[in-house]
PDB file of all heavy atoms in Angstrom:
ATOM      1  N   VAL A  84       4.447  30.472   0.008  1.00  0.00           N
ATOM      2  CA  VAL A  84       5.571  30.051  -0.907  1.00  0.00           C
ATOM      3  C   VAL A  84       4.950  29.937  -2.238  1.00  0.00           C
ATOM      4  O   VAL A  84       3.741  29.840  -2.424  1.00  0.00           O
ATOM      5  CB  VAL A  84       6.130  28.674  -0.487  1.00  0.00           C
ATOM      6  CG1 VAL A  84       6.787  28.847   0.912  1.00  0.00           C
ATOM      7  CG2 VAL A  84       5.190  27.602  -0.454  1.00  0.00           C
ATOM      8  N   ALA A  85       5.785  29.862  -3.318  1.00  0.00           N
ATOM      9  CA  ALA A  85       5.343  29.733  -4.706  1.00  0.00           C
ATOM     10  C   ALA A  85       4.771  28.339  -4.845  1.00  0.00           C
ATOM     11  O   ALA A  85       5.193  27.380  -4.150  1.00  0.00           O
ATOM     12  CB  ALA A  85       6.452  29.975  -5.640  1.00  0.00           C
ATOM     13  N   THR A  86       3.818  28.168  -5.790  1.00  0.00           N
ATOM     14  CA  THR A  86       3.258  26.857  -6.042  1.00  0.00           C
ATOM     15  C   THR A  86       4.303  25.883  -6.464  1.00  0.00           C
ATOM     16  O   THR A  86       4.217  24.642  -6.093  1.00  0.00           O
ATOM     17  CB  THR A  86       2.179  26.961  -7.152  1.00  0.00           C
ATOM     18  OG1 THR A  86       1.184  27.947  -6.771  1.00  0.00           O
ATOM     19  CG2 THR A  86       1.432  25.659  -7.373  1.00  0.00           C
ATOM     20  N   SER A  87       5.272  26.376  -7.293  1.00  0.00           N
ATOM     21  CA  SER A  87       6.389  25.477  -7.644  1.00  0.00           C
ATOM     22  C   SER A  87       7.172  24.979  -6.485  1.00  0.00           C
ATOM     23  O   SER A  87       7.676  23.816  -6.468  1.00  0.00           O
ATOM     24  CB  SER A  87       7.243  26.160  -8.654  1.00  0.00           C
ATOM     25  OG  SER A  87       7.861  27.292  -8.086  1.00  0.00           O
ATOM     26  N   VAL A  88       7.278  25.841  -5.471  1.00  0.00           N
ATOM     27  CA  VAL A  88       8.039  25.329  -4.285  1.00  0.00           C
ATOM     28  C   VAL A  88       7.236  24.349  -3.525  1.00  0.00           C
ATOM     29  O   VAL A  88       7.716  23.321  -2.993  1.00  0.00           O
ATOM     30  CB  VAL A  88       8.445  26.559  -3.367  1.00  0.00           C
ATOM     31  CG1 VAL A  88       9.078  26.181  -2.117  1.00  0.00           C
ATOM     32  CG2 VAL A  88       9.350  27.514  -4.169  1.00  0.00           C
ATOM     33  N   ALA A  89       5.924  24.600  -3.385  1.00  0.00           N
ATOM     34  CA  ALA A  89       5.021  23.620  -2.738  1.00  0.00           C
ATOM     35  C   ALA A  89       5.101  22.331  -3.575  1.00  0.00           C
ATOM     36  O   ALA A  89       4.987  21.224  -2.928  1.00  0.00           O
ATOM     37  CB  ALA A  89       3.653  24.151  -2.647  1.00  0.00           C
ATOM     38  N   GLY A  90       5.146  22.383  -4.888  1.00  0.00           N
ATOM     39  CA  GLY A  90       5.275  21.150  -5.682  1.00  0.00           C
ATOM     40  C   GLY A  90       6.458  20.336  -5.408  1.00  0.00           C
ATOM     41  O   GLY A  90       6.484  19.131  -5.769  1.00  0.00           O
ATOM     42  N   LEU A  91       7.511  20.944  -4.793  1.00  0.00           N
ATOM     43  CA  LEU A  91       8.683  20.179  -4.478  1.00  0.00           C
ATOM     44  C   LEU A  91       8.419  19.045  -3.457  1.00  0.00           C
ATOM     45  O   LEU A  91       9.054  18.049  -3.376  1.00  0.00           O
ATOM     46  CB  LEU A  91       9.809  21.052  -3.997  1.00  0.00           C
ATOM     47  CG  LEU A  91      10.434  22.036  -5.051  1.00  0.00           C
ATOM     48  CD1 LEU A  91      11.421  22.946  -4.390  1.00  0.00           C
ATOM     49  CD2 LEU A  91      11.101  21.183  -6.118  1.00  0.00           C
ATOM     50  N   LEU A  92       7.325  19.257  -2.664  1.00  0.00           N
ATOM     51  CA  LEU A  92       6.955  18.191  -1.631  1.00  0.00           C
ATOM     52  C   LEU A  92       6.591  16.987  -2.422  1.00  0.00           C
ATOM     53  O   LEU A  92       6.996  15.863  -2.020  1.00  0.00           O
ATOM     54  CB  LEU A  92       5.781  18.618  -0.849  1.00  0.00           C
ATOM     55  CG  LEU A  92       6.030  19.803   0.187  1.00  0.00           C
ATOM     56  CD1 LEU A  92       4.695  20.171   0.803  1.00  0.00           C
ATOM     57  CD2 LEU A  92       6.973  19.277   1.271  1.00  0.00           C
ATOM     58  N   VAL A  93       5.809  17.154  -3.537  1.00  0.00           N
ATOM     59  CA  VAL A  93       5.359  15.939  -4.269  1.00  0.00           C
ATOM     60  C   VAL A  93       6.577  15.371  -5.036  1.00  0.00           C
ATOM     61  O   VAL A  93       6.686  14.139  -5.092  1.00  0.00           O
ATOM     62  CB  VAL A  93       4.209  16.378  -5.308  1.00  0.00           C
ATOM     63  CG1 VAL A  93       3.837  15.177  -6.193  1.00  0.00           C
ATOM     64  CG2 VAL A  93       2.997  16.910  -4.477  1.00  0.00           C
ATOM     65  N   SER A  94       7.390  16.278  -5.644  1.00  0.00           N
ATOM     66  CA  SER A  94       8.508  15.801  -6.359  1.00  0.00           C
ATOM     67  C   SER A  94       9.498  15.091  -5.422  1.00  0.00           C
ATOM     68  O   SER A  94      10.094  14.028  -5.868  1.00  0.00           O
ATOM     69  CB  SER A  94       9.245  16.908  -7.026  1.00  0.00           C
ATOM     70  OG  SER A  94       8.385  17.678  -7.872  1.00  0.00           O
ATOM     71  N   LEU A  95       9.808  15.553  -4.270  1.00  0.00           N
ATOM     72  CA  LEU A  95      10.761  14.934  -3.383  1.00  0.00           C
ATOM     73  C   LEU A  95      10.155  13.532  -2.930  1.00  0.00           C
ATOM     74  O   LEU A  95      10.878  12.606  -2.966  1.00  0.00           O
ATOM     75  CB  LEU A  95      10.987  15.810  -2.222  1.00  0.00           C
ATOM     76  CG  LEU A  95      12.024  15.350  -1.119  1.00  0.00           C
ATOM     77  CD1 LEU A  95      13.295  15.138  -1.771  1.00  0.00           C
ATOM     78  CD2 LEU A  95      12.125  16.285  -0.033  1.00  0.00           C
ATOM     79  N   TYR A  96       8.891  13.542  -2.684  1.00  0.00           N
ATOM     80  CA  TYR A  96       8.294  12.226  -2.280  1.00  0.00           C
ATOM     81  C   TYR A  96       8.354  11.257  -3.458  1.00  0.00           C
ATOM     82  O   TYR A  96       8.824  10.061  -3.277  1.00  0.00           O
ATOM     83  CB  TYR A  96       6.824  12.422  -1.913  1.00  0.00           C
ATOM     84  CG  TYR A  96       6.113  11.124  -1.592  1.00  0.00           C
ATOM     85  CD1 TYR A  96       6.291  10.556  -0.308  1.00  0.00           C
ATOM     86  CD2 TYR A  96       5.277  10.506  -2.490  1.00  0.00           C
ATOM     87  CE1 TYR A  96       5.571   9.301  -0.075  1.00  0.00           C
ATOM     88  CE2 TYR A  96       4.663   9.327  -2.242  1.00  0.00           C
ATOM     89  CZ  TYR A  96       4.769   8.755  -1.012  1.00  0.00           C
ATOM     90  OH  TYR A  96       4.146   7.571  -0.608  1.00  0.00           O
ATOM     91  N   ALA A  97       8.053  11.658  -4.634  1.00  0.00           N
ATOM     92  CA  ALA A  97       8.144  10.690  -5.858  1.00  0.00           C
ATOM     93  C   ALA A  97       9.613  10.333  -6.054  1.00  0.00           C
ATOM     94  O   ALA A  97       9.793   9.134  -6.459  1.00  0.00           O
ATOM     95  CB  ALA A  97       7.545  11.445  -7.015  1.00  0.00           C
ATOM     96  N   GLY A  98      10.478  11.223  -5.945  1.00  0.00           N
ATOM     97  CA  GLY A  98      11.879  10.817  -6.142  1.00  0.00           C
ATOM     98  C   GLY A  98      12.341   9.806  -5.113  1.00  0.00           C
ATOM     99  O   GLY A  98      13.048   8.881  -5.475  1.00  0.00           O
ATOM    100  N   LEU A  99      11.989  10.023  -3.867  1.00  0.00           N
ATOM    101  CA  LEU A  99      12.385   9.057  -2.760  1.00  0.00           C
ATOM    102  C   LEU A  99      11.733   7.697  -3.027  1.00  0.00           C
ATOM    103  O   LEU A  99      12.335   6.627  -2.835  1.00  0.00           O
ATOM    104  CB  LEU A  99      11.965   9.590  -1.443  1.00  0.00           C
ATOM    105  CG  LEU A  99      12.930  10.651  -0.873  1.00  0.00           C
ATOM    106  CD1 LEU A  99      12.303  11.220   0.452  1.00  0.00           C
ATOM    107  CD2 LEU A  99      14.262  10.091  -0.646  1.00  0.00           C
ATOM    108  N   VAL A 100      10.494   7.668  -3.450  1.00  0.00           N
ATOM    109  CA  VAL A 100       9.823   6.359  -3.779  1.00  0.00           C
ATOM    110  C   VAL A 100      10.626   5.650  -4.891  1.00  0.00           C
ATOM    111  O   VAL A 100      10.885   4.485  -4.869  1.00  0.00           O
ATOM    112  CB  VAL A 100       8.311   6.634  -4.150  1.00  0.00           C
ATOM    113  CG1 VAL A 100       7.806   5.304  -4.786  1.00  0.00           C
ATOM    114  CG2 VAL A 100       7.579   6.999  -2.984  1.00  0.00           C
ATOM    115  N   ALA A 101      10.976   6.378  -5.990  1.00  0.00           N
ATOM    116  CA  ALA A 101      11.638   5.819  -7.113  1.00  0.00           C
ATOM    117  C   ALA A 101      12.967   5.328  -6.792  1.00  0.00           C
ATOM    118  O   ALA A 101      13.403   4.219  -7.184  1.00  0.00           O
ATOM    119  CB  ALA A 101      11.778   6.899  -8.247  1.00  0.00           C
ATOM    120  N   VAL A 102      13.662   6.015  -5.913  1.00  0.00           N
ATOM    121  CA  VAL A 102      15.099   5.580  -5.591  1.00  0.00           C
ATOM    122  C   VAL A 102      15.036   4.503  -4.514  1.00  0.00           C
ATOM    123  O   VAL A 102      15.925   3.575  -4.623  1.00  0.00           O
ATOM    124  CB  VAL A 102      15.879   6.871  -5.095  1.00  0.00           C
ATOM    125  CG1 VAL A 102      17.195   6.458  -4.534  1.00  0.00           C
ATOM    126  CG2 VAL A 102      16.130   7.784  -6.198  1.00  0.00           C
ATOM    127  N   LEU A 103      14.156   4.585  -3.538  1.00  0.00           N
ATOM    128  CA  LEU A 103      14.285   3.657  -2.417  1.00  0.00           C
ATOM    129  C   LEU A 103      13.412   2.507  -2.408  1.00  0.00           C
ATOM    130  O   LEU A 103      13.543   1.556  -1.656  1.00  0.00           O
ATOM    131  CB  LEU A 103      13.957   4.481  -1.157  1.00  0.00           C
ATOM    132  CG  LEU A 103      14.943   5.560  -0.687  1.00  0.00           C
ATOM    133  CD1 LEU A 103      14.454   6.269   0.490  1.00  0.00           C
ATOM    134  CD2 LEU A 103      16.331   5.016  -0.493  1.00  0.00           C
ATOM    135  N   SER A 104      12.392   2.356  -3.434  1.00  0.00           N
ATOM    136  CA  SER A 104      11.496   1.252  -3.385  1.00  0.00           C
ATOM    137  C   SER A 104      12.167  -0.025  -3.572  1.00  0.00           C
ATOM    138  O   SER A 104      11.914  -1.030  -2.818  1.00  0.00           O
ATOM    139  CB  SER A 104      10.365   1.466  -4.402  1.00  0.00           C
ATOM    140  OG  SER A 104      10.947   1.484  -5.728  1.00  0.00           O
ATOM    141  N   VAL A 105      13.069  -0.184  -4.525  1.00  0.00           N
ATOM    142  CA  VAL A 105      13.686  -1.515  -4.759  1.00  0.00           C
ATOM    143  C   VAL A 105      14.675  -1.834  -3.629  1.00  0.00           C
ATOM    144  O   VAL A 105      14.643  -2.998  -3.079  1.00  0.00           O
ATOM    145  CB  VAL A 105      14.371  -1.496  -6.063  1.00  0.00           C
ATOM    146  CG1 VAL A 105      15.264  -2.808  -6.360  1.00  0.00           C
ATOM    147  CG2 VAL A 105      13.324  -1.498  -7.167  1.00  0.00           C
TER     148      VAL A 105
END
Side-chain angles (χ1 to χ4, degrees):
V84 296
T86 306
S87 58
V88 173
L91 290 175
L92 290 173
V93 177
S94 300
L95 184 59
Y96 177 79
L99 284 173
V100 168
V102 170
L103 295 176
S104 60
V105 172

